[in-house]
Amino acid sequence: MAFLNHALVPSASPACFSDRSPTTALCSLSKLSGPSTGGHKLVILSVTSLDCVRRPVPPRAGFLSKPSALISERVICTDVNARKKLEFKYTKDPSKGFCEFIESTSKEEVIAFFRDITNEVERFRQLQDFHFRVRDNDDGFRVEIFYNEDRRGPDVSPFDDCIGCSLDANLFVGQEPGMKSKECILEEFSDRPYAIVRLDVKGREGFSVMPVRHVERMSELDDDELYSMWTVVVRMLRQTGMPFISLILNHGSYRTLYHLNLKVWVDSDSYARYRLTWNKERMELWNRLQKYAVNRPKKQQVCFFFKRDGFCRHGEFCSYLHSYPKIINRVTSYSNFSS
Ligand SMILES: [Zn+2]
Ligand SMILES: [Zn+2]
């Protein structure tokens, strides 16, 4: 019940599902996958968004015909590529890098920044499936939203052992004994009861930051969870001295996991230097993780980066195919059936 109490902490201005009745909203929001009882999963509904039950945002006349517009006192939104990509910038101090922004801005302002973006994306534009990416550029950081691409979502059903909720869940089902989800946790960077940091569980050079509570969208996080998720990332990057390449939060069909999962990608050289600080035990864990990860089944879809660039930096650890599947000779197949 600690989770439920925690979930009752009201948010400043959460954004989601505003056009539903209070009852529907309460019953359809984030789910906590509890322990199995007699073959049934105990599912606790969490109350994350009591005060997000509000009217939809009215369309702003003429807004969509302009490439850029202020969507709040602090965020400017640009339609970079119609029906494919949006970009958001912090207007109050646009030249700051992301880590500097988090470190030098008040908690309320950081929360309001992310709420303004999710309001725009999920409520105003009604987008549920998107790739949310933070990147630093020469002129400060930006948040990019990619959408309208063919993505198929997670393979497993939501209440199969969630690796974010069930610490004993096997990360490599089919490769028994496999590894337990808790083995990859980096307690030194985690911030309980809000956010847990893990090594990337697919053995790639990066980290995963998950809220302790099972939520599936950033807009479902309460204020403390939202703030913790981003500050944990920045603290970890600062402590290890690693610059980030990108911070990714996939939503809807762009996900490979149901549990909200912030992926922190860093470059190979930085990660190699970070690995030199590990003790023997963690090194062994990493080697074991790599062995399992390289043998896990791929999603039956060609990797977006491989398709676009002919190259993907995750190499053999990528979740997607780095080759085109062979085309089945349908004429032969049909003639076999008819004979
Ligand atoms: Zn979960
Ligand atoms: Zn790939």
Side-chain angles (χ1 to χ4, degrees), residues 215-253:
V215 304
E216 301 186 7
R217 317 190 68 82
M218 184 167 67
S219 58
E220 293 174 17
L221 295 171
D222 72 28
D223 289 353
D224 290 331
E225 291 167 327
L226 177 61
Y227 187 65
S228 171
M229 185 175 75
W230 293 108
T231 48
V232 151
V233 170
V234 170
R235 212 178 304 134
M236 177 176 69
L237 292 169
R238 293 298 202 201
Q239 281 177 20
T240 54
M242 276 186 282
F244 70 94
I245 295 175
S246 58
L247 310 174
I248 309 283
L249 261 182
N250 286 322
H251 282 72
S253 63

Side-chain angles (χ1 to χ4, degrees), residues 303 312 318 320 322:
C303 167
C312 161
C318 182
Y320 294 88
H322 284 176

